Amino acid sequence: MIELEGVPELVDPVMVAAFEGWNDAGDAASTAVGHLDREWKGEVFAALDAEDYYDFQVNRPTVWLDGGVRKITWPTTRLSVVRIGGEKPRDLVLVRGIEPSMRWRSFCNEILGFAHELGVEMVVILGALLGDTPHTRPVPVSGVTSDPDLARTMDLEETKYEGPTGIVGILQEACTHAGVPAVSLWAAVPHYVSQPPNPKATLALLNRLEDLLGLRIPLGELPEDARAWQLGVDQLAAEDSEVAEYVQTLEEARDTAELPEASGEAIAREFERYLRRRDVGGPGQPPGGHATEGGDVPYLRDTSSGRTRPPKPQRPEAERPGTPRPKDGDEPEDPPTGPDENLTVQRGEPLWPETYCTAT
């Protein structure tokens, strides 16, 4: 049993999770949750015990100085709460961490224990994978679920993926087994420019999350960063004729495939997002201000700001060694603050039985 002290009663809470590692191409998913935490000033209330789930030779702790005092930040997964006001207030429980090295079933049980105690209504897991998609087109984002009823009511795909999976796929199945509605949002990152960061993919995930939850997410400088990233990749790709030709091939394939899908439904979804941004203004944010991830208008930020150009795109035949590429929908800035000292965690019966999903 998990007992939480100091955490107020939440309003229609939704848990949004992302994990660095195999399911986080270009760091797009973890950066999206970090953006939510930063823009809405999330308050950390719990952290999982790093000793239970991480191999410190794989994910090493970091040492840093705080006023001359040496401190250690351990790799772990932290949970925070953000309160969203407005006409329809709603709270989010953000889960951000690193894909665990071991004991995945216990890890999911602990996450689901927090979800149960906080009254979470739905779990949304963000992921990003490498795909054959051109950087010049809007980032494809697919929403998948293992729940047939949820797929019908929320216009999602029912996952048919078979193959190796990461913690995103395992956590989604754990939610389904525990009776918690769960959705995974996957952004496709161009495999020839897979190095982080990828603000365009992060922006696409946040836009899709807006549509799913009916929220207005403050984007800050993210649209500007996405445009600058695309322009930088354009310039670097133009310097290599083979890469430029390959990108053109991907563009033609993408345009041909999507031509029949320029439906009224897609146009209506974009218009609804525009209205949400126009009608709901936040502090210091003018009405409107939505920028799609398409980046049709070239825009390059002042280089005096210290921002670096994107890394040079890899040649199509030179894949990044050691980077798995799932086929479809199945994956610190400042030293983070520690868990609330008032938190008390007690272990009890697992929500996900140890007999579930054993090898055959």
Side-chain angles (χ1 to χ4, degrees), residues 47-59:
L48 275 60
D49 189 343
E51 293 280 347
D52 290 341
Y53 305 115
Y54 295 100
D55 180 346
F56 297 139
Q57 290 183 319
V58 176
N59 296 292

Side-chain angles (χ1 to χ4, degrees), residues 1-61:
M1 178 180 179
I2 296 176
E3 295 182 359
L4 300 177
E5 297 180 4
V7 179
E9 184 176 350
L10 304 182
V11 178
D12 299 331
V14 171
M15 179 176 281
V16 181
F19 304 94
E20 300 173 22
W22 195 65
N23 291 145
D24 193 22
D27 291 352
S30 58
T31 301
V33 173
H35 178 87
L36 297 175
D37 188 76
R38 182 173 58 254
E39 290 294 326
W40 276 321
K41 297 178 174 54
E43 298 179 7
V44 176
F45 66 87
L48 275 60
D49 189 343
E51 293 280 347
D52 290 341
Y53 305 115
Y54 295 100
D55 180 346
F56 297 139
Q57 290 183 319
V58 176
N59 296 292
R60 293 186 177 272

